[in-house]
Amino acid sequence: MKPVKAKKSVLLVASCTSLALSLTACGGGSAKTAPKDATGRSTVRIMVGGLDKQIYLPVMLAQKLGYFKAQGINAVLSDEPAGVDAETDMLAGQQDAVVGFYDHNIDLQSKGKSTESVVQLLQAPGEVEMVRTDEAGSVHSPADFRGKKLGVTGLGSSTNFLTQYLEAKNGLKTSDATSVAVGAGSTFVAAMQNKQIDAGMTTEPTISILQQKGLAKPLVDMRTAAGAKAALGGTYPASCLYLTTAYIQKNPDVVQKLVNAFVETMKWINTHSAAQIADKMPADYYAGVGKATYTKALENEKGMYSPDGLMPADGPRTVLSVLSAWDPTVKGHSVDLSRTYTNEFVNKAR
């Protein structure tokens, strides 16, 4: 099997940063009015950093429940294995919105770009650092990552952010281990199986697949709010819908309708069982693990979903603290957290 390489699209973010391009050049300075489709609905292109991941399940669920359509939104969903690639496409004007981790908004502001989370989907990352079974005897904590190859969805992704924080928290420099972009799902499993990585951060249902195959064991579990607080020092808001500030200002009515759909979806999740939720998902989402295992995994981590879509009061500060621990573009720089998210639309939706 060929060595896993970072996707070329990751380089675009680095290029925009290193060349200090203007907001407009990187997609953050201007926006167009959302176009209408033939039925009069506003078309919104939404890219997700892994549609089949349970951490992004609310997106497909909203589509399946008809909540976008009911709001007059034609949601065109696209898929990218890593959140950083989804972010890149939005900044380049190829997408209107991203469902990814909130931490990107802080990282982007430190690089001179203005984006905002408008509704929170997760109140915990839903991520687990998995260590390869034959390495589990010698890797007891992130302090043992020195010299190891660590799988992440993409370089510059949220899994990369969290991995580097775990290294820093445990006394290591980012250069002490190597981050390897392996995507998610089948590519992550293959990387573990072929020993291209010694450990790696991933989500359900990939976690369950790795355990079923006996390939890896959990090392740091952040599938619950309690687990995230233990690992990261506080509430860590993760998946959210975020857009450029320019798009939000140009299309406030469209953004409100999107948020309305997601708030309804979060209410539906919190009033239905894991089995009922799984029934709404496409069969290929659980084909590799089986529906029963998929449902059990969802049941175990159902508490990670936000009950109301609001940003947790202590969340932004925790995320900033995590990024400041290792990220040179954030550490020591002034970040206005109030410009990285808004509860305005959620408050109107409730």
Side-chain angles (χ1 to χ4, degrees):
M1 184 173 179
K2 294 181 180 180
V4 178
K5 297 181 180 179
K7 293 185 68 173
K8 291 182 179 179
S9 54
V10 174
L11 301 179
L12 178 59
V13 173
S15 298
C16 286
T17 303
S18 62
L19 293 176
L21 296 179
S22 68
L23 291 179
T24 302
C26 274
S30 61
K32 296 180 180 179
T33 302
K36 304 282 189 180
D37 67 7
T39 66
R41 291 180 294 167
S42 296
T43 296
V44 183
R45 302 165 298 172
I46 305 173
M47 182 159 277
V48 186
L51 259 173
D52 59 353
K53 299 176 185 178
Q54 289 189 357
I55 58 171
Y56 298 134
L57 175 149
V59 184
M60 183 56 69
L61 184 58
Q63 188 85 301
K64 291 291 187 180
L65 292 172
Y67 288 165
F68 291 130
K69 185 177 181 180
Q71 288 290 330
I73 296 292
N74 172 30
V76 180
L77 306 181
S78 300
D79 195 14
E80 270 286 358
V84 64
D85 298 331
E87 163 198 296
T88 299
D89 286 345
M90 181 182 71
L91 293 176
Q94 297 170 6
Q95 300 291 329
D96 302 310
V98 169
V99 173
F101 273 29
Y102 162 69
D103 52 22
H104 287 288
N105 295 275
I106 294 177
D107 181 64
L108 285 169
Q109 188 188 121
S110 71
K111 295 172 180 174
K113 302 171 182 68
S114 185
T115 63
E116 296 174 49
S117 164
V118 294
V119 59
Q120 282 300 133
L121 309 181
L122 259 62
Q123 56 186 350
E127 303 277 359
V128 175
E129 183 70 29
M130 302 290 289
V131 60
R132 212 174 66 224
T133 302
D134 60 338
E135 291 280 348
S138 59
V139 179
H140 304 288
S141 81
D144 300 318
F145 282 168
R146 192 182 306 275
K148 302 298 183 182
K149 295 178 181 178
L150 307 177
V152 297
T153 53
L155 303 182
S157 66
S158 295
T159 52
N160 198 184
F161 291 166
L162 291 172
T163 297
Q164 291 178 301
Y165 171 75
L166 293 177
E167 292 174 58
K169 181 185 178 184
N170 286 273
L172 302 182
K173 301 188 296 291
T174 54
S175 58
D176 287 334
T178 303
S179 290
V180 183
V182 295
S186 61
T187 57
F188 190 101
V189 173
M192 193 72 78
Q193 193 162 23
N194 290 287
K195 299 187 177 182
Q196 291 176 282
I197 56 174
D198 303 301
M201 190 170 291
T202 190
T203 60
E204 292 288 7
T206 307
I207 296 164
S208 292
I209 294 173
L210 291 169
Q211 290 180 296
Q212 274 189 351
K213 292 179 177 290
L215 294 173
K217 298 179 179 180
L219 182 68
V220 180
D221 194 334
M222 296 175 281
R223 284 176 288 186
T224 65
K229 286 181 179 179
L232 305 174
T235 304
Y236 199 92
S239 302
C240 68
L241 175 72
Y242 69 94
L243 312 91
T244 64
T245 299
Y247 185 95
I248 295 170
Q249 292 175 345
K250 189 76 172 182
N251 301 278
D253 292 343
V254 172
V255 174
Q256 185 64 63
K257 291 175 181 178
L258 285 168
V259 172
N260 291 346
F262 277 117
V263 169
E264 282 299 309
T265 302
M266 305 320 293
K267 291 178 181 177
W268 198 95
I269 288 173
N270 282 278
T271 54
H272 290 76
S273 69
Q276 289 172 315
I277 297 169
D279 283 342
K280 295 293 184 181
M281 293 296 102
D284 60 338
Y285 278 27
Y286 47 78
V289 67
K291 191 173 183 180
T293 300
Y294 179 93
T295 302
K296 183 64 176 177
L298 182 57
E299 183 179 331
N300 291 338
E301 65 177 8
K302 193 164 172 278
M304 70 181 177
Y305 295 109
S306 169
D308 51 24
L310 288 168
M311 174 65 75
D314 61 335
R317 183 59 57 184
T318 301
V319 178
L320 178 60
S321 176
V322 166
L323 294 180
S324 297
W326 65 270
D327 188 347
T329 65
V330 176
K331 187 176 183 178
H333 290 72
S334 177
V335 175
D336 184 351
L337 292 175
S338 68
R339 290 172 46 224
T340 62
Y341 74 95
T342 177
N343 282 323
E344 175 187 352
F345 298 99
V346 175
N347 284 328
K348 290 179 180 178
R350 292 189 299 156

